[in-house]
């Protein structure tokens, strides 16, 4: 029932204890060195998905197909990246879907770029801006490894110069000072559509909220998403001892026509 | 710059105060009655996305395009539905993407059906099983309103009879007793792929974890996702006074070949 | 084994379903009207602690001794009060103990006054300032009902005029603008001792933190305490559906001698 | 204004950066070696509370009076101890106050023993049982250092043999199997009074809840208390990156007379 895996395939090796996990791009003759022993890529190819391999000293690993959740956690990064808990929620709030055109700035390590590119499909398009060329290179490699690079247009440019695109379906900002660039966002976004931003501090949220109001963005939502894992031992079911206490806050808002802003008694 | 909206369009009306929100399918001659006054659909059509309308007594509302996040919150339901906070995370953990074939059971009110159908695109397919015909009818209407009904095969059948599909990319269970049906899940799921389940109580998690182990599912993750909103007043920035304390726990796992289970020291 | 309860005793009646709870000061001939029926105080007196009484239509209630946790939740209030989850933590952070002299401002509804007065004992003393006479009257009644009024000196005065006391063991501020009064706090507090404050918004925390630094308060802790209840059904163990999302943040700090502030390379 | 501190005093040294903190019992000629340099106890004695001392290489430390919150976090332990966030809440739920008689089992490292002994004052009494003599010795030392040892009766005995005390004001259980000992708790507790327990896993909570019902304990509360710290930088206000995800659940309940249990229609 199993079938050989080919060189070039990206697989997950997870130890039977689940503590050790590896994302591996299979190569003929490759080998993976772990603290639980050495595994040959040939073993993995023969085992196939759902299969088991034993390291040279007898530790068991299972072969599974990597998910985007795992890829995002393991992605090579030089910046703080968006976590899966936030990425999923962003998809729904910005109404990303196959065929959508999504604009993001900055690119960073390309975590969110990869997520957007995965969900817009081959009919959609991601436009990703960053002023730092080295980040764009990293993001490009990260997208390539997940096989979605062809859906992304990377652009080395500072947001203050504006975006080339118009009528995009969503804009996502991962910048330290998004409050400075709301006119550029407005120019790019289709009417009635939503923008999102990730901000770590309350000081930033406060400034951004004021800017959103001044720039006639309405329907503002500020939210944090928390991920609390449980230990998966059925005899001792309980939350994990440690958790991530903070990544950042998500802010979503929709621009209205300037002519319509304000007043609006209620 | 604005353009008229056509009858049949689904729009969001949100009051300037943001407290009142309405999902409206526009009809010629239609009208919306709210506690803030009456609004004619014709007004909304003329205003267009990003536009403002005033109710008969002067309250302002903005016209925006509904997002999946909002649709999911407002969906007609006869059951507890999956919340946006969980739905997004499920997409990443189950590695849903355009073109994917996803199986879910039970259908319930069709909230998660709509989410899956939105993200698999026209190339993908959702197979949704429920033993209760009236729920399937509700889910069908909910999917139709979001214009993704054509991507879903609804089936009135009890899970114990098994699924028709094989080699699907993901399985999601929203059932009170998922521990009874892991062989059926295994039969349907492609090798190396992941299943997810939503369970509200610890007793259920405990039973399900034991069943996962007996059925050779590995790489188990149990997690809860919490959504904590902030009030969006920049002068009085603070979390909302009330929050949802609990919806349910998500459990994810991947079956391995039976022949490979167990032993695996470590 | 039981013994009669006397008139004047404060008791808790909790319905067998636990949903309905009442704090009752027993009176000869008194009666309690509830949505589960009428109960005569005489019944409660005869039943005694640990006893059961039936309302006129057969609903069961148990008689227990009220705890400070319950009293605090049920206290008559005209202001937001400190919650038990915060009150307990404040006791440890401010090192309240029998015999301590504690200063608070403002008095509010007297919730925290009651807590402090309960723990300082007859050898200790609470000094409670508020500029609003009607709040002091309410707080006085709340302390009296818990039988700790004799341990409190209430003072109608604005904090800007300073405190009469010196060398107190702890200061607690429940004010909208505590940043304006740190010199007064410093004057009252014994060397090496700690002050605490409760603030609901991030804007307030930000201002207060700046003021603490300017006024040579060190060892600053900012924390929120969350209380998450579980449903107590062993067959369906799970968190409650709703929870309090926010009450306020606690900030603690200790003044150092002015001459010693600042510099301190690390 | 400052005054010399005497040998034998327990003080807190906190570095100006707040990252390093030390609990020190002052000794003539003593010295404290830290990664930020060496400090002589004589320096601390001269500086006094609120004073500043410089280590031999110029790092600044402030001298403050330790709080119970800090002592509890720093206590010498051989077991998991109750955290300040839980300890404070327990005080209110069990209605501890000066003069109260409190029974706990097991003693563990004496963290909760110290808390109870601090709050019952010289008129109160803590009875602390543990079957492990070495823990009782550790707890005794921990209480002595906080100068409350004289308020505690330690007893080396297994709970199954019952307690010597009757009519105590509160019972607290920190045991792996509290469900086995509810008759002993009932025998010791005054009518109408409350018991508490700390349990880390859901499996334990489930068993304990069943036992509480069988043993006619009512008014059950199950709760977890979460402590979420913020970074105290006013320019970058945000929650800490990491937090404690789980310590344990608190369960509180009150026994009623056996003759009165059950039935109780509502």
């Amino acid at each position: 029932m199993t079938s050989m895996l080919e060189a070039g395939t990206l697989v997950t090796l997870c130890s039977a204890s689940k503590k050790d996990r590896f994302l591996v791009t299979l190569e003929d003759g490759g080998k993976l060195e772990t603290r639980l022993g050495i595994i040959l890529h040939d073993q993995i190819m023969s085992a196939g998905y759902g299969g088991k391999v034993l390291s040279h000293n007898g530790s068991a690993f299972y072969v599974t197909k990597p998910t985007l959740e795992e890829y995002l956690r393991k992605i090579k990064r030089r910046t703080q990246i968006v976590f899966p808990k936030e990425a999923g929620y962003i998809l729904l709030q910005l109404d990303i879907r196959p065929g959508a055109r999504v604009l993001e700035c900055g690119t960073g390590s390309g975590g969110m770029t990869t997520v957007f590119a995965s969900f817009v499909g081959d009919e959609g398009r991601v436009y990703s801006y960053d002023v730092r060329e080295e980040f764009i290179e990293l993001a490009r490699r990260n997208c390539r490894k997940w096989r979605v690079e062809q859906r992304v247009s990377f652009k080395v440019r500072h947001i203050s110069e504006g975006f080339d695109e118009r009528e995009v379906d969503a804009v996502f900002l991962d910048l330290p000072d998004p409050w400075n660039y709301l006119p550029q966002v407005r120019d790019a976004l289709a009417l009635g559509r939503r923008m999102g931003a990730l901000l770590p501090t309350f000081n930033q949220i406060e400034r951004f909220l004021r800017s959103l109001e001044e720039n006639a963005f309405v329907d503002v939502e500020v939210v944090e998403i928390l991920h609390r894992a449980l230990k998966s031992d059925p005899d001792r079911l309980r939350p994990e001892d440690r958790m991530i206490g903070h990544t950042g806050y998500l802010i979503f808002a929709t621009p209205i026509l300037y002519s319509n802003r304000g007043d609006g008694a209620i």
Side-chain angles (χ1 to χ4, degrees), chain A residues 171-218:
Chain A
V171 171
F172 184 71
L173 301 180
D174 187 357
L175 295 167
D177 60 342
W179 48 83
N180 287 323
Y181 311 110
L182 288 175
Q184 287 88 335
V185 170
R186 169 184 287 278
D187 286 346
L189 203 53
L191 279 171
R193 291 298 203 152
R194 210 147 166 75
M195 66 83 60
L198 178 73
L199 289 173
T201 75
F202 296 112
N203 314 67
Q204 290 170 304
I205 300 172
E206 185 187 332
R207 288 191 70 169
F208 193 44
L209 288 174
R210 294 191 202 285
S211 180
L212 285 169
E213 196 175 344
E214 287 160 16
N215 285 277
F217 282 67
V218 300

Side-chain angles (χ1 to χ4, degrees), chain A residues 132-191:
Chain A
R132 302 159 299 180
E133 197 153 358
E134 69 277 21
F135 281 110
I136 288 208
E137 276 322 297
L138 173 61
R140 196 188 293 278
R141 284 197 304 277
N142 281 329
C143 285
R144 188 180 308 147
K145 196 168 173 185
W146 198 244
R147 307 205 168 169
V148 294
E149 182 197 4
Q150 72 286 359
R151 300 172 183 171
V152 186
S153 303
F154 289 104
K155 306 197 176 185
V156 182
R157 188 189 305 170
H158 195 275
I159 183 172
S160 58
E161 298 169 39
F163 304 113
D164 298 326
E165 294 72 26
R166 291 294 176 272
E167 301 282 315
V168 299
D169 296 303
V171 171
F172 184 71
L173 301 180
D174 187 357
L175 295 167
D177 60 342
W179 48 83
N180 287 323
Y181 311 110
L182 288 175
Q184 287 88 335
V185 170
R186 169 184 287 278
D187 286 346
L189 203 53
L191 279 171

Side-chain angles (χ1 to χ4, degrees), chain A residues 78-90:
Chain A
R78 296 174 57 181
T79 55
Q80 172 70 26
I81 62 145
V82 176
F83 278 57
K85 65 188 172 94
E86 278 110 25
Y89 190 72
I90 292 167

Side-chain angles (χ1 to χ4, degrees), chain A residues 7-250:
Chain A
T9 308
L10 187 69
V11 303
T12 297
L13 265 260
C14 81
S15 72
S17 72
K18 209 208 143 179
K19 295 275 163 54
D20 291 75
R21 304 174 63 81
F22 303 93
L23 268 183
V24 184
T25 302
L26 298 175
E27 296 171 40
D28 291 314
K31 67 181 172 183
L32 174 69
E33 298 188 27
T34 81
R35 60 172 188 153
L36 298 171
I38 298 167
I39 299 152
L40 304 179
H41 287 202
D42 285 352
Q43 289 179 275
I44 302 172
M45 293 184 199
S46 303
Y49 289 132
K52 183 171 74 177
V53 294
L54 294 177
S55 73
H56 82 285
N57 59 21
S59 297
F61 286 83
Y62 300 115
V63 185
T64 65
K65 201 164 184 332
T67 65
L68 184 51
E69 189 273 339
E70 170 147 40
Y71 186 66
L72 197 52
R73 278 192 292 116
K74 291 277 179 64
I75 213 166
K76 282 214 168 59
R77 72 191 70 176
R78 296 174 57 181
T79 55
Q80 172 70 26
I81 62 145
V82 176
F83 278 57
K85 65 188 172 94
E86 278 110 25
Y89 190 72
I90 292 167
L91 292 173
L92 270 70
Q93 270 276 1
L94 296 188
D95 205 35
I96 306 304
R97 55 177 83 189
R101 294 169 63 242
V102 181
L103 195 158
E104 75 162 356
C105 181
T107 306
S109 303
M112 206 59 213
T113 324
T114 306
V115 173
F116 285 138
S118 296
F119 287 96
V120 298
D122 285 328
E123 316 299 309
R125 192 93 203 138
V126 179
Y127 308 96
S128 186
Y129 287 75
D130 204 301
V131 73
R132 302 159 299 180
E133 197 153 358
E134 69 277 21
F135 281 110
I136 288 208
E137 276 322 297
L138 173 61
R140 196 188 293 278
R141 284 197 304 277
N142 281 329
C143 285
R144 188 180 308 147
K145 196 168 173 185
W146 198 244
R147 307 205 168 169
V148 294
E149 182 197 4
Q150 72 286 359
R151 300 172 183 171
V152 186
S153 303
F154 289 104
K155 306 197 176 185
V156 182
R157 188 189 305 170
H158 195 275
I159 183 172
S160 58
E161 298 169 39
F163 304 113
D164 298 326
E165 294 72 26
R166 291 294 176 272
E167 301 282 315
V168 299
D169 296 303
V171 171
F172 184 71
L173 301 180
D174 187 357
L175 295 167
D177 60 342
W179 48 83
N180 287 323
Y181 311 110
L182 288 175
Q184 287 88 335
V185 170
R186 169 184 287 278
D187 286 346
L189 203 53
L191 279 171
R193 291 298 203 152
R194 210 147 166 75
M195 66 83 60
L198 178 73
L199 289 173
T201 75
F202 296 112
N203 314 67
Q204 290 170 304
I205 300 172
E206 185 187 332
R207 288 191 70 169
F208 193 44
L209 288 174
R210 294 191 202 285
S211 180
L212 285 169
E213 196 175 344
E214 287 160 16
N215 285 277
F217 282 67
V218 300
D219 197 8
V220 178
E221 180 175 339
V222 188
V223 65
E224 69 175 325
I225 305 289
L226 296 159
H227 173 285
R228 192 179 192 202
L230 267 64
K231 299 188 184 199
S232 58
D233 176 352
D235 294 322
R236 296 185 52 74
L237 194 58
R238 51 178 288 183
E240 292 280 356
D241 300 325
R242 299 260 158 191
M243 68 180 279
I244 302 290
H246 181 65
T247 49
Y249 290 83
L250 296 171

